[in-house]
Amino acid sequence: MKTPKNSCRLYERAVQSIPGGVNSPVRACKSVGADPLFIRSADGAVIVDADGNRYIDYIGSWGPMILGHRHPAVMAAIQKAMQRGTSFGAPTDLEITLAEMVIAAVPSVEMVRMVNSGTEAAMSAIRLARGYTGRDLVVKFDGCYHGHADTLLVAAGSGVATLGIPGSPGVPKPTARHTLSLPYNDIDCFRRVMQKQGGQVACVIVEPVAGNMGLVAPVKGFLQSLRKLTAEYGALLIFDEVMTGFRVAYGGAQSLYRIQPDLSCFGKIIGGGLPVGAYGGRRKIMSHIAPQGPVYQAGTLSGNPLAMAAGIATLTQLRKKSFYEKLEKQSARLCTGLAAAAARSGFPVQVDHVGSMLGMFFCADPVRSIEDAKKSDLALFSKFYQGMRREGVYIAPSQFEALFLSSAHTSEHIDRTVRAAEKVLKRLRE
Ligand code: HOZ
């Protein structure tokens, strides 16, 4: 597809100095036959490219922007923190406040350690689980993405699924051998593996609602079976709530499905749009982290005051009455609208949402795993992506990513999106 003039120019320049012209693979838009839009600014639910074109934004920086872009309370908090300095490499009161807010929101979390990204959170939680249990084996699920640490880059979702690569060169075979990746939502398979190897498993890590193979909700009993069997075999259960934390509910997916994991990973929303990650869990386990315990993990910019301030301001807004109910209503409006538009076009489509995370697959059967997701019509998705972008709607440039709504999306934005989808699908039918 044709790229707007300034984005095109910037991309040509970017590829000279940055691998693939981007700092994270999916945003290169390769799998949907497009080049990236370079962004000038964003406000509320709208993002503006380098040519001044405006788009309704359903990427929301891949999840963090639950309040929309440039929320006044978040901007004010960052500006206030900035007046005092940008980084001290020493503790501040802001870190304690955000830690206390996370602990208050998520009952399974009694202590929390701040890091700089979701990758770091998952990687550190795995190290802690191994250090705590004295075991090496990690169980994950195909199509779940937990960042790009070596242990976790096995049958991963997100960019790995988008680019169609099974793993990555550079991950030593002995490292990958310590990771078992099982089909998502397959309770029997998980039970069989635990019966055979449960005694060697340090931890089971899962996206409680998968958002890195498109949106795939857990089937009834899946998360419960993970909780039951990990407890039985002395393995830790880690919920990767980097996407779902404070997104599908204030207490994350674990509050929605009423499961208490041993450890949880966070990121995205708790940094209010600034780089952040965190992992937390029961005091008994978290006290194994240095300097309280022997499991090492550190970071120069961890607990960065600007990120903490943005996170505190964001969480403060999320605690307001009916915040999630209103967001849920808008998500349902979009979900129903897209499903109806697709039905009228005659294309088989699966549209689903959990809270304000949405997924849309071009296939006839429900999607419960990455194998199902891969059956969706990827060529059609590419055309749909291109059409939506032309119509001023900015969705993730991959079938294997979710869509995110924010409180800044109005009914008008949503109805405009549905009309655009209908127009694009109708054109594709002709
Ligand atoms: N892998 C992240 C989304 N699931 C980030 C993608 C990006 O920033 O390009």
Side-chain angles (χ1 to χ4, degrees), residues 2 45 82 120 124 128 143 150 191 200 220 238 244 252 270 274 294 298 313 350 363 369 384 390 400 422 428:
K2 207 166 162 329
M82 203 166 66
E120 236 189 288
S124 310
L128 172 59
D150 283 358
R191 187 179 300 116
Q200 299 152 46
K220 202 163 171 256
I238 306 176
T244 51
I270 64 158
L274 287 173
Q350 304 294 318
C363 57
S369 66
F384 180 68
R390 273 188 216 102
F400 305 110
E422 180 143 17
L428 290 172

Side-chain angles (χ1 to χ4, degrees), residues 275-408:
V276 92
Y279 62 106
R282 286 189 281 130
R283 188 176 299 277
K284 198 172 136 213
I285 304 171
M286 291 301 287
S287 56
H288 282 247
I289 298 167
Q292 199 172 345
V295 178
Y296 198 72
Q297 180 269 309
T300 298
L301 288 163
S302 294
N304 174 266
L306 301 193
M308 298 298 104
I312 294 164
T314 300
L315 266 46
T316 304
Q317 295 300 312
L318 301 183
R319 281 193 309 204
K320 288 190 174 159
K321 201 170 165 276
S322 310
F323 180 89
Y324 288 91
E325 283 86 341
K326 283 185 205 150
L327 198 53
E328 165 80 31
K329 230 171 115 192
Q330 296 295 56
S331 305
R333 186 184 183 106
L334 180 59
C335 197
T336 316
L338 288 174
R344 283 193 289 274
S345 75
F347 285 114
V349 171
Q350 304 294 318
V351 195
D352 197 7
H353 78 107
V354 178
S356 52
M357 281 169 75
L358 261 95
M360 187 172 176
F361 294 100
F362 288 101
C363 57
D365 298 317
V367 176
R368 300 202 174 93
S369 66
I370 185 79
E371 285 314 313
D372 294 342
K374 281 181 182 163
K375 285 183 200 142
S376 99
D377 188 336
L378 300 181
L380 180 58
F381 178 82
S382 296
K383 288 184 196 142
F384 180 68
Y385 168 85
Q386 294 182 11
M388 290 300 270
R389 196 162 110 174
R390 273 188 216 102
E391 291 300 319
V393 182
Y394 189 63
I395 60 170
S398 164
Q399 176 69 96
F400 305 110
E401 298 284 354
L403 271 69
F404 298 99
L405 248 89
S406 76
S407 53

Side-chain angles (χ1 to χ4, degrees), residues 24-27 62 145 158 212 243 268 401:
S24 193
V26 182
R27 61 182 80 164
W62 306 92
Y145 180 75
S158 187
N212 285 288
M243 246 182 211
K268 299 197 190 271
E401 298 284 354

